[in-house]
Amino acid sequence: MRAGKDAGGRLRGRARTFLRLHGHALFSSLGDLWRAPLMTCMTLMVIAVTLALPLTFYLTLANLQRLSGGLEESWKVSLYLDPKLDEKQAAPLLARLRKQPAVAAVHLIGKEAGLMDFRRHSGFGEVLEALPENPLPVVIEVTPHPRWENPQRLAELVAAWEKIPQVDFVQWNMRWLQRLKGWLQLAERGVAGLGALLSLTVLLVVGNTIRLELENRHEEIEVMKLLGATHRFIRRPFIYSGFWYGSTGGLMALILAWLLSAVMRAPAKSLAALYGAAFDIEFLSLPEVLAFAGFSVVLGVSGAWLVVTRHLWRLRI
Amino acid sequence: MLQFDQVTKSYPGSGDVLRGVSFQIERGEMVFVSGHSGAGKSTLLRLTALMERPTRGAILLNGQNVGRLPNRKIPFVRRRLGLIFQDYRLIHDRTVYDNVAMPLLIAGFGPEETDHRTRAALNKVGLAGFERRYPVTLSGGEQQRVGIARAIVTRPPMILADEPTGNLDPDLSLEIMAMFREFNQVGVTMLIVSHDQALVSRFAGRVLHLERGRLVE
């Protein structure tokens, strides 16, 4: 009973010492940063801008991806027939297509129906009024069988349809959607690469700032070692400096990126309205904000850790 | 308490600084190390404070061979030594109080204990009321007394002083030495390096005389 009590007391004592040492490091590092406000502010701005850059790219990309995801994943293929053909002349082709195993459904859009559609959506209705006759072709809309819902198989199908003499050209929504996705994937790689490079920059900026601080306090560190300080004790306030640089810089980057997205919100909205779409720029979600903040802290702390550990390792007393 | 056994220290390019030095210091002794500059006095002290490792031989501190101690254990040995330097080695952007309290902070003492011991140490060296001052505003003698307060604040069983009066005038030197004798009278083992023969001879104590790296009794 008594032994248990003693052990509990020892543990509490150890916890108190631990908290005291960390509390001291936390506030002494904050005090050190506060004593050189200009230098600290400049370093923080460099970190903030460096982090805000990939963050903004990421936001832009995420919003574009959301936009492309909102586009209906349509596998429908439109066959635009020769404008000289009318609905009646298109009927045999329609029947032939319907029999193909790759075709699930066909739908014929006549010249008149096409005209009405065009009037409704394009806003160029008056232009058509001025024309002597309806210039629109007959269109056959083909819905492929689910087994052909694959870009490569569909491409083969489309190539075959393009060879049909009555067909003027084939429009395939999936194709440009695929291309857009390809571009976005490429941009994603680019943003990831850029993010990695700029993260490395933050690591170096924090590391270099801490290195200067170490050099300024070289004598003090030597004295502390002679007074029996462990490497951990000496390292601790510098690690906390790294923590402050990472967290504050990350927070500032978040604010910068948020301001930028707020500025772009209204023009993006009105641009989307022109396309008849409702689109709103979205900022990071809460988990994303937390992940970003955590990552910034990790960058700051590891930059500091690397530099201090190397410095202490080279100190030979 | 402290034992050197056939200790040799050589630096690449400058040969042996200490050659086969052997001596033993008992608990509660007051020992001076004298000799001309370059005789190896400072090296002897640096070896004892674990700032250097011996090339050959053993250094025993409380029966522990500290010459072969792994680096990570060195801090804990140093906490049981009080170090005093010729150039005081104070931290200039900290107050007198913070300088003296530093070893307690490092050893993880609580705030009340730290405050109590720091004020007691400052009292002992006659610097009560200097807590908020910065080292640069103090005279050389006062700075050295801050250094001494810092060395005794953890109440170490042994104090090592490297030319503690090297930068002070004779009166101040005597004052400092008298302080050391006081510590010694309450049981602290003192190892004092000094090239000042006249000063050393005024105090009753064993003298280890070094000449070109060898001990001459």
Side-chain angles (χ1 to χ4, degrees):
Chain A
M1 197 62 204
R2 194 182 192 139
K5 220 173 179 176
D6 281 358
R10 256 206 310 282
L11 202 66
R12 263 200 301 283
R14 235 184 244 178
R16 255 205 302 278
T17 307
F18 178 84
L19 286 179
R20 189 160 52 236
L21 287 172
H22 278 270
H24 171 260
L26 190 74
F27 290 110
S28 81
S29 65
L30 203 58
D32 290 338
L33 296 181
W34 199 250
R35 267 194 286 280
L38 192 70
M39 166 96 177
T40 305
C41 273
M42 268 161 58
T43 307
L44 282 175
M45 278 310 287
V46 171
I47 295 170
V49 171
T50 312
L51 284 173
L53 221 57
L55 190 60
T56 309
F57 288 147
Y58 171 78
L59 269 175
T60 310
L61 197 62
N63 276 294
L64 279 175
Q65 266 166 344
R66 209 164 43 80
L67 187 64
S68 78
L71 296 170
E72 202 183 330
E73 292 224 350
S74 167
W75 294 93
K76 280 182 187 163
V77 178
S78 301
L79 276 58
Y80 289 78
L81 303 189
D82 188 326
K84 287 196 286 289
L85 299 174
D86 61 17
E87 288 85 349
K88 223 175 256 168
Q89 289 162 304
L93 179 61
L94 193 70
R96 224 170 77 208
L97 283 170
R98 192 175 275 138
K99 279 191 210 121
Q100 286 190 1
V103 174
V106 286
H107 172 63
L108 188 122
I109 302 166
K111 286 184 182 229
E112 281 308 312
L115 190 64
M116 265 152 70
D117 247 17
F118 189 80
R119 276 209 188 106
R120 221 182 8 252
H121 291 303
S122 71
F124 291 112
E126 290 85 353
V127 180
L128 291 183
E129 303 290 340
L131 292 173
E133 58 184 71
N134 184 353
L136 295 176
V138 173
V139 178
I140 299 177
E141 207 176 64
V142 182
T143 308
H145 192 276
R147 271 193 291 136
W148 271 264
E149 284 184 1
N150 158 317
Q152 209 177 338
R153 297 199 70 181
L154 198 61
E156 286 167 17
L157 219 54
V158 168
W161 289 336
E162 270 169 345
K163 287 195 192 106
I164 301 173
Q166 295 98 312
V167 173
D168 205 17
F169 71 95
V170 179
Q171 201 195 49
W172 176 22
N173 284 337
M174 211 52 208
R175 173 171 273 165
W176 75 263
L177 206 59
Q178 289 285 321
R179 281 185 187 148
L180 178 66
K181 280 188 175 157
W183 280 109
L184 287 177
Q185 252 163 25
L186 189 70
E188 203 174 294
R189 284 281 168 87
V191 169
L194 207 68
L197 280 178
L198 290 169
S199 301
L200 188 67
T201 310
V202 170
L203 200 80
L204 293 174
V205 168
V206 174
N208 198 46
T209 310
I210 302 280
R211 193 182 55 80
L212 286 175
E213 186 68 17
L214 279 167
E215 267 165 29
N216 285 338
R217 293 168 60 181
H218 180 78
E219 291 221 3
E220 178 182 340
I221 289 168
E222 253 186 47
V223 170
M224 293 211 286
K225 273 211 81 172
L226 290 175
L227 297 178
T230 54
H231 279 187
R232 204 181 290 186
F233 181 88
I234 296 169
R235 197 189 292 137
R236 207 174 282 132
F238 293 103
I239 299 285
Y240 275 105
S241 291
F243 168 82
W244 290 120
Y245 279 127
S247 56
T248 315
L251 195 70
M252 284 164 72
L254 279 169
I255 292 171
L256 280 178
W258 183 82
L259 283 174
L260 220 59
S261 73
V263 166
M264 281 163 70
R265 180 170 244 150
K269 232 178 191 166
S270 50
L271 183 66
L274 284 180
Y275 284 93
F279 173 69
D280 198 6
I281 291 185
E282 266 179 24
F283 194 62
L284 299 179
S285 64
L286 186 66
E288 279 174 321
V289 167
L290 291 178
F292 177 78
F295 183 63
S296 316
V297 168
V298 166
L299 282 180
V301 167
S302 32
W305 192 89
L306 284 173
V307 172
V308 182
T309 303
R310 183 173 156 275
H311 182 90
L312 287 175
W313 191 62
R314 295 204 314 178
L315 202 68
R316 300 203 60 86
I317 56 161
Chain B
M1 179 108 229
L2 173 68
Q3 189 185 346
F4 269 53
D5 186 14
Q6 290 297 320
V7 172
T8 295
K9 175 70 190 177
S10 42
Y11 294 102
S14 58
D16 295 354
V17 182
L18 286 182
R19 303 173 203 195
V21 171
S22 297
F23 64 88
Q24 190 164 351
I25 295 174
E26 300 300 333
R27 188 175 297 274
E29 261 193 289
M30 180 145 166
V31 178
F32 293 93
V33 181
S34 67
H36 297 290
S37 59
K41 306 186 300 288
S42 287
T43 304
L44 190 147
L45 204 84
R46 291 173 69 84
L47 284 166
T48 311
L50 278 63
M51 292 155 83
E52 306 273 358
R53 288 180 188 275
T55 312
R56 276 189 299 280
I59 298 168
L60 283 88
L61 205 64
N62 293 315
Q64 188 180 23
N65 186 353
V66 293
R68 298 276 167 269
L69 206 65
N71 281 336
R72 66 194 158 77
K73 288 194 176 164
I74 289 177
F76 305 97
V77 175
R78 281 192 183 144
R79 287 178 198 180
R80 295 178 50 75
L81 297 172
L83 298 183
I84 296 166
F85 308 94
Q86 179 174 4
D87 52 359
Y88 327 130
R89 293 226 179 182
L90 302 177
I91 301 169
H92 290 282
D93 59 356
R94 308 265 174 112
T95 59
V96 166
Y97 182 94
D98 287 344
N99 265 285
V100 175
M102 180 64 80
L104 299 173
L105 188 71
I106 286 169
F109 280 83
E112 292 102 35
E113 181 82 2
T114 298
D115 191 59
H116 172 73
R117 285 194 183 211
T118 304
R119 289 182 194 282
L122 280 170
N123 248 328
K124 192 143 220 160
V125 298
L127 287 180
F130 282 64
E131 286 87 350
R132 298 276 135 233
R133 301 273 293 270
Y134 281 87
V136 280
T137 68
L138 305 180
S139 70
E142 286 164 344
Q143 289 192 39
Q144 188 55 299
R145 281 190 280 161
V146 176
I148 293 168
R150 183 178 66 186
I152 60 169
V153 78
T154 53
R155 295 171 196 157
M158 184 171 181
I159 287 179
L160 309 177
D162 187 10
E163 302 277 5
T165 61
N167 291 345
L168 304 178
D169 62 45
D171 284 350
L172 278 172
S173 302
L174 269 177
E175 207 176 285
I176 298 280
M177 283 296 179
M179 211 182 271
F180 286 171
R181 194 163 52 185
E182 243 175 76
F183 299 154
N184 181 238
Q185 274 158 3
V186 297
V188 181
T189 311
M190 301 289 304
L191 182 64
I192 303 157
V193 169
S194 178
H195 68 278
D196 189 345
Q197 297 281 7
L199 189 70
V200 168
S201 58
R202 290 184 63 157
F203 288 86
R206 187 145 69 100
V207 179
L208 299 170
H209 190 71
L210 279 171
E211 250 170 51
R212 271 172 290 162
R214 282 184 197 284
L215 209 54
V216 228
E217 296 253 11

